[in-house]
Amino acid sequence: MSAAATDDLPRSRAPAPPSPRVGFVIGGVQKAGTSALASYLAAHPRIRLPRDKEAHVFDAPDFDEQADATAVDARYAGRFEPHAPGCIYGDATPIYALRPRFVERIKAYNPAMRWIIVLRHPVARAISNYHMERDWGRERWPLWLALLLEPLRMAGRYDDFSPESPLRHFSYRYRGDYAAQLDALYRHFARSQVLVLRNQELAADPAGVYRRVCAFLGLDPPVRMPAFAPVFVGNYPAIPPGSRRWRLLCWWMRRELRAQRERYGIDWEGAP
């Protein structure tokens, strides 16, 4: 058969992914175990996550507020393995729950989006966040000074989404304001679309949490469960819960802790 004749034959094409492509996000919070959860979910044969875990699509500084789902999906192009029918796609970028604008962008993209939020005691989260920034060489101040300087660093910068913004690097206390984050989420998404977990649950019973997440996503757990190995375990001097320094930090974050308890029943009593 000639080359010209073969050009007339129908070509098989891989099925196009649906639009919107992404159906769930691990949207919060930083330093709470999202990397571990993402690694467990990525082992599921019907789940696809970006190659680099965090796609940072909706928090991009150049995000087009007028972009439709097709345009947003174009930003995801190349971040996933080739489309496989029957798979669901997710994005594990924990900053998405931090700012209402990100939540609004996601609502415009996919009103049916499912959210997975992993929480950690705000004090423990802030300390871990601080040490991460120290390890990366971005934080030069001692812990207490960095915490005290946060309002000055953040002033007027809450909608600065540039790579070096203090929102991304020095928002130690702000990222622990879970009540405000859940307020914004529930303004735009039904509670049935949001699964809230705690990092202690993930650490103590990863298989149980994994099954809950699969059920939330409408999937059966795989026959072969993933290896639930720790991911990115911090190696820094801990502040023991109950110590004077810990109590001072809890007092410093008393407003956030009270709001979480009163509005959402999130009580961190006894949590590390």
Side-chain angles (χ1 to χ4, degrees):
M1 185 180 293
S2 69
T6 60
D7 287 344
D8 293 333
L9 293 177
R11 298 177 183 271
S12 60
R13 294 182 179 177
S19 185
R21 176 194 289 255
V22 174
F24 76 93
V25 292
I26 302 176
V29 302
Q30 186 191 47
K31 309 306 295 178
T34 59
S35 293
L37 181 58
S39 71
Y40 305 156
L41 292 178
H44 194 292
R46 290 190 56 201
I47 291 178
R48 296 291 183 270
L49 287 168
R51 292 187 180 93
D52 51 359
K53 182 220 171 194
E54 299 185 21
H56 286 287
V57 167
F58 297 100
D59 63 310
D62 62 345
F63 186 88
D64 181 0
E65 303 290 349
Q66 306 304 315
D68 60 11
T70 302
V72 174
D73 283 338
R75 298 189 72 126
Y76 276 112
R79 296 180 181 272
F80 293 99
E81 299 299 331
H83 175 62
C87 290
I88 63 173
Y89 289 78
D91 178 355
T93 304
I95 200 173
Y96 285 164
L98 184 61
R99 290 296 294 152
R101 186 177 298 182
F102 305 153
V103 177
E104 292 163 5
R105 290 171 175 177
I106 291 172
K107 174 64 179 293
Y109 166 70
N110 184 3
M113 186 71 78
R114 289 185 173 270
W115 288 76
I116 301 168
I117 306 294
V118 188
L119 303 181
R120 182 179 184 180
H121 192 297
V123 168
R125 198 222 65 79
I127 294 169
S128 179
N129 192 168
Y130 167 80
H131 284 285
M132 180 183 72
E133 295 300 330
R134 288 279 291 190
D135 290 344
W136 281 100
R138 289 185 287 247
E139 180 59 81
R140 66 185 188 276
W141 297 106
L143 174 63
W144 291 98
L145 272 176
L147 298 178
L148 291 171
L149 285 171
E150 180 178 337
L152 295 176
R153 287 168 151 178
M154 294 288 295
R157 306 291 295 278
Y158 290 94
D159 286 319
D160 177 0
F161 306 146
S162 63
E164 298 306 316
S165 166
L167 177 74
R168 296 191 185 275
H169 302 297
F170 307 128
S171 50
Y172 308 124
R173 177 174 182 167
Y174 181 64
R175 286 180 186 259
D177 194 355
Y178 306 145
Q181 294 172 36
L182 291 173
D183 288 347
L185 263 180
Y186 293 138
R187 277 197 299 271
H188 296 284
F189 294 90
R191 295 199 177 211
S192 60
Q193 292 174 245
V194 182
L195 177 64
V196 178
L197 305 167
R198 300 196 195 194
N199 75 313
Q200 309 106 292
E201 300 174 273
L202 185 60
D205 184 17
V209 170
Y210 185 79
R211 291 188 182 94
R212 284 176 61 193
V213 174
C214 287
F216 176 68
L217 298 176
L219 299 173
D220 292 324
V223 174
R224 179 177 296 179
M225 296 287 275
F228 297 111
V231 177
F232 297 147
V233 177
N235 183 21
Y236 54 84
I239 297 178
S243 65
R244 181 172 179 270
R245 294 177 70 198
W246 179 271
R247 293 197 304 272
L248 282 172
L249 285 167
C250 287
W251 178 86
W252 174 70
M253 296 194 72
R254 64 195 181 281
R255 177 182 60 81
E256 291 86 352
L257 293 168
R258 183 174 60 249
Q260 293 164 34
R261 183 175 60 252
E262 292 178 351
R263 299 217 290 274
Y264 293 104
I266 300 172
D267 191 343
W268 295 103
E269 188 68 30

